[in-house]
Amino acid sequence: MIKTKAFLFFAILTLCFSCTNDDEKKYRIGFSQCISKDDWRKVMDHEMIVEASLNEDIDLTIFQANEDIEIQKSQIETMINDGFDVIIISPLRPDPLVSLIEKAYDKGIPVIIVDRKINSQKFTAYVGANNIDVGRMAAKYIASQNKENISVLEIKGSDNSSPVIERHLGFHQIINSDPNVSINYSIKEENLPQRLPQILDSLNIKPIHYVFGFNDNIAHDAWKITKSKATESSIKFIGVDGLNGENNGIQLVQNGVLSATVLYPTGGDEALKIAVKILRNEKVDKNNILNTTIIDFRNAEIMKNQYDKINKHQYEIESQQEKIKLQKQTYSTQSNILKLLLGLLIISLLLVVFSIYSAYSNQKKKRELEIRNKKITTQRNQIKKIAQEIKISNEAKVNFFTGLSHEFKTPITLILSSIESLSENKTLKDNKLSREVGLIFNNSKRLLRLINQLLDFRKIEDRKFILKASETNLIKFSNLIFNDFKREAQKRNITFSIETDNEDLNLFIDRNLMDKVYFNLLSNAFKFTPNNGSISIKIHDIPEINQVKIHFKDSGIGIPTSEMNQVFSAFYQGSNNNKSSSGIGLHLSKEFVELHKGSIEVKSKHGTEFIVTLYKGQAHLSTDEIVYDPDIIEETVLSFNDGYEDEVFLQNQPTQSGDHYSILIIEDNLDLANYLHGKLSKDYHIHLSDGSDAIEKAIETIPDIIMCDINVSGSLDGFEICKTLKTDLRTSHIPNIILTALNNKESYIQGLQSGADLFLTKPFSFAILQQSIKSLLYNREKLRYYFINNIHKVDTEQNFGLLEQDFISKINKHIEEHIDNSKFSVEQLAEHLNISRVQLYRKMKAILGVSISDYIQSRRLEKAKHLLDNTSLTISEIAYATGFSSPNYFSTSFKNKYQKTPKKYRSNT
Ligand code: FRU
């Protein structure tokens, strides 16, 4: 619509302005003038200009050659090339211009020659007077004087132009036929100043009665020279041209300077008239000869008056023309304005019509849109409502299934753990029941995996996964999973291999998630590869791009090409797959790999190949995605009866057997509590609590390990119990394992905040639990060893320990204060520390592995040793100063510790 408006506007404007160009010249006439300086030529130019101005469609251009033949040539060339419609030439000389004039003529351009002639007939028209007649008239005027022996001086023009030649010819024709007149002298204009004075000096030899100058200027010049010789009264002067105006022919005749002048019209107006006729396709004569006449004292006056009148008329015409021109301009401007206004008026009218139409159609459209909008809004609200209902219902369903899945975990753990116990029963291994138990185990595992996948899917959907990547040897990690599938491969005679080009490849991976990816890709491979087929894992280190590619290739049924781009979509089931599957395994694998900023791709040709690409190093991960103390893999993929040895977690083997250790299990699920009790009581002394008396039990028993469920009976939950125990001096040193079904980031963080040492999610493998207990005890032993060996640093070292450091410091300080008191007792120390004697004993044993009484003794002996080294006190003085009841008892104790008696020790140092 806007386009149409613009087009209309411009069309009308163009129309208006195109009308304003109606005085445009239609024809171009060019005139090349050979001489510029004298009046005769100026009159010729002026006549042309006046004549041209009478014709509105004529555009006249006058070119001045200034007596330069080369300039005149180039002017003609220009007029030809610029497409002038008629060319008028007043030639300087008869020959040099011929070829150019003929060229123009041959091209069809009309050519008019004025005044001087050229040596060619190839032109359209000639305009000029007959110069032979001019010569004759001058001669006849002299002869008409009817005197005898008239002597004449002829002064010719300097060039060889046709007027010079022809005037001379005509003049001589008449003089020669008259016996009374003779031309005694004939000179050229250029020689006048030099020759005329000589001639005047010899007048007594050859007299002169008449001087004939070839134009009025020459005759006037001759008069001036003669006058200067004071002989002017006897000689008469005749010129040619007869122009009106000061110092021109007619005035010179009136003044008596010239006796006569032959009128020689310029032909400027005539030449232009002929040009116009040609342009109007009217017939013109080739030779247009202008009239001449003799002007002397008899008609000079009349001629002058005639010319003055003509000039006056001319002037009036010109001023009229100027006025007309001005009026035309005014008219043209006004007419343009009028047209413009008219145009604008039309545009305005059109716009008004258009606006009315637009308003009408807009109104109509608006109404339609409003109706449509209303419909859409109603529909949208309905859809929104339905979507909301669906969302709520979906959410409820998903929450129900998620909750149910969580609920499934505890019973499955119990089933799995019970089966693990059954499997250890030697008699079972030999009997037929073993296979069925194996079946139960494997299917329970499968069920567990499916539940976990379901929960993982939910977590991925909710974007709740946070990567917990730790530095892992990829080959060892891969080998562990590889081993899990070996038996299946053997059973089905599948060639199953793993290879790598770099054994020492350490990658930051979330072991739990990557375990799931491996498991998924391998169990898929095993599912779709027929017996006797092949499956391989190939690990390629590509250092140039800082990446590792893991290829999982099988010789299975493959994936149809048309479905390749869907394999990672949730709930995808291959069209050629008739085996049951959840359809989320590959989707989860992709999500897990992408959480590692890696990628997974699939190729299918003679089987299927999945390629997992992972980055090396840790630059691609954020700091909160990296952990230095990785979780134990939540779930193993072991089959029943597989030997489980997780190399990753075998590095810290406890040095002592578990016999001496005690564990407090805080669990209100009786089945689980009994199960754990039954399993662990073989190696550990077990205390049980349902949660209601957890704190009391812990303080009372000071166990070596506390295992605590989150949801337990009593007022405190597992986190709070853990936190309370960790901040109590009596129990702060005890490693705490939190067992829970809550597998989410928040619970994990809460567990860490409560000070838990380990966070195990249900269902857990008993083997892993057992191994975790051993590792924690081993770490405790290491810490204890460190404490013992660095006991002297306890008061100074900054990072020695938290509550424990404080505890030991307090003990040391109190012992130091009472070191000389042989009656200082453990009870006294316990009382000072505000704990019971048994608690003090257990705490010391747990931290330093020594009894408190041994510790007091050891502090006394260390002090004694120090006094032996640094003082001259006697041995018995030192014995009493360090709280020994007798010097003998001191000596025996000292020897027991340092293998020397105090006396020997001092003498040696
Ligand atoms: C002017 C003039 C006239 C003469 C004519 C001949 O330039 O010399 O006086 O009549 O040219 O071409």
Side-chain angles (χ1 to χ4, degrees), residues 379-413:
Q379 279 171 359
R380 204 187 53 200
N381 288 342
Q382 276 171 355
I383 292 168
K384 243 188 183 172
K385 208 175 144 200
I386 295 168
Q388 193 60 29
E389 282 167 13
I390 292 171
K391 201 181 160 196
I392 292 168
S393 138
N394 262 353
E395 198 68 29
K397 276 182 205 158
V398 171
N399 283 343
F400 170 72
F401 282 117
T402 311
L404 212 59
S405 306
H406 270 300
E407 286 307 310
F408 282 152
K409 281 185 150 186
T410 308
I412 292 172
T413 307

Side-chain angles (χ1 to χ4, degrees), residues 316-560:
E316 277 166 6
I317 288 169
E318 278 175 26
S319 60
Q320 282 302 323
Q321 270 183 342
E322 199 55 41
K323 274 182 194 161
I324 290 169
K325 207 175 159 189
L326 274 171
Q327 278 191 344
K328 256 184 158 182
Q329 267 172 9
T330 317
Y331 167 76
S332 162
T333 315
Q334 284 175 350
S335 134
N336 282 342
I337 291 171
L338 196 72
K339 280 171 190 164
L340 191 69
L341 285 174
L342 205 71
L344 288 173
L345 189 74
I346 293 169
I347 291 171
S348 308
L349 281 174
L350 284 174
L351 285 177
V352 167
V353 172
F354 186 75
S355 304
I356 293 167
Y357 171 76
S358 295
Y360 170 74
S361 71
N362 278 350
Q363 197 65 33
K364 204 173 146 193
K365 267 186 205 154
K366 205 178 141 197
R367 272 203 300 275
E368 279 170 14
L369 276 177
E370 271 169 9
I371 294 168
R372 212 185 295 170
N373 256 355
K374 249 187 200 162
K375 257 190 202 166
I376 291 170
T377 315
T378 322
Q379 279 171 359
R380 204 187 53 200
N381 288 342
Q382 276 171 355
I383 292 168
K384 243 188 183 172
K385 208 175 144 200
I386 295 168
Q388 193 60 29
E389 282 167 13
I390 292 171
K391 201 181 160 196
I392 292 168
S393 138
N394 262 353
E395 198 68 29
K397 276 182 205 158
V398 171
N399 283 343
F400 170 72
F401 282 117
T402 311
L404 212 59
S405 306
H406 270 300
E407 286 307 310
F408 282 152
K409 281 185 150 186
T410 308
I412 292 172
T413 307
L414 283 170
I415 294 170
L416 282 169
S417 302
S418 306
I419 297 167
E420 273 187 328
S421 305
L422 274 177
S423 72
E424 280 161 15
N425 185 335
K426 288 270 182 287
T427 54
L428 188 70
K429 283 193 178 174
D430 307 327
N431 91 36
K432 158 171 166 264
L433 261 179
S434 140
R435 278 218 344 258
E436 281 156 28
V437 172
L439 208 67
I440 301 170
F441 182 85
N442 287 338
N443 279 294
S444 305
K445 282 296 240 185
R446 190 156 178 260
L447 198 58
L448 186 59
R449 269 196 307 274
L450 288 172
I451 287 168
N452 279 337
Q453 274 194 352
L454 215 64
L455 293 173
D456 284 348
F457 181 69
R458 175 77 174 144
K459 253 170 110 177
I460 279 282
E461 292 276 286
D462 291 350
R463 313 222 159 273
K464 277 197 177 153
F465 264 112
I466 289 208
L467 207 65
K468 285 189 257 171
S470 60
E471 193 167 20
T472 304
N473 181 299
L474 189 67
I475 312 310
K476 280 186 183 167
F477 176 83
S478 306
N479 264 323
L480 280 176
I481 305 166
F482 175 78
N483 287 336
D484 294 334
F485 283 91
K486 247 175 166 169
R487 249 169 66 93
E488 171 87 359
Q490 271 165 10
K491 233 165 58 187
R492 293 174 48 203
N493 196 27
I494 288 174
T495 313
F496 186 37
S497 63
I498 180 164
E499 58 182 75
T500 177
D501 46 16
N502 182 359
E503 291 283 343
D504 303 316
L505 212 47
N506 281 336
L507 247 60
F508 274 81
I509 55 170
D510 185 318
R511 295 177 189 172
N512 264 320
L513 300 189
M514 206 42 80
D515 178 79
K516 286 174 184 175
V517 173
Y518 267 69
F519 179 78
N520 202 280
L521 295 177
L522 284 175
S523 53
N524 267 355
F526 274 94
K527 200 167 167 189
F528 297 111
T529 301
N531 290 354
N532 310 317
S534 66
I535 297 172
S536 67
I537 306 174
K538 286 182 184 161
I539 301 171
H540 286 309
D541 179 15
I542 316 171
E544 308 81 61
I545 49 169
N546 198 36
Q547 281 180 348
V548 171
K549 282 193 188 289
I550 311 161
H551 300 250
F552 297 85
K553 193 166 170 31
D554 66 48
S555 61
I557 55 168
I559 299 164

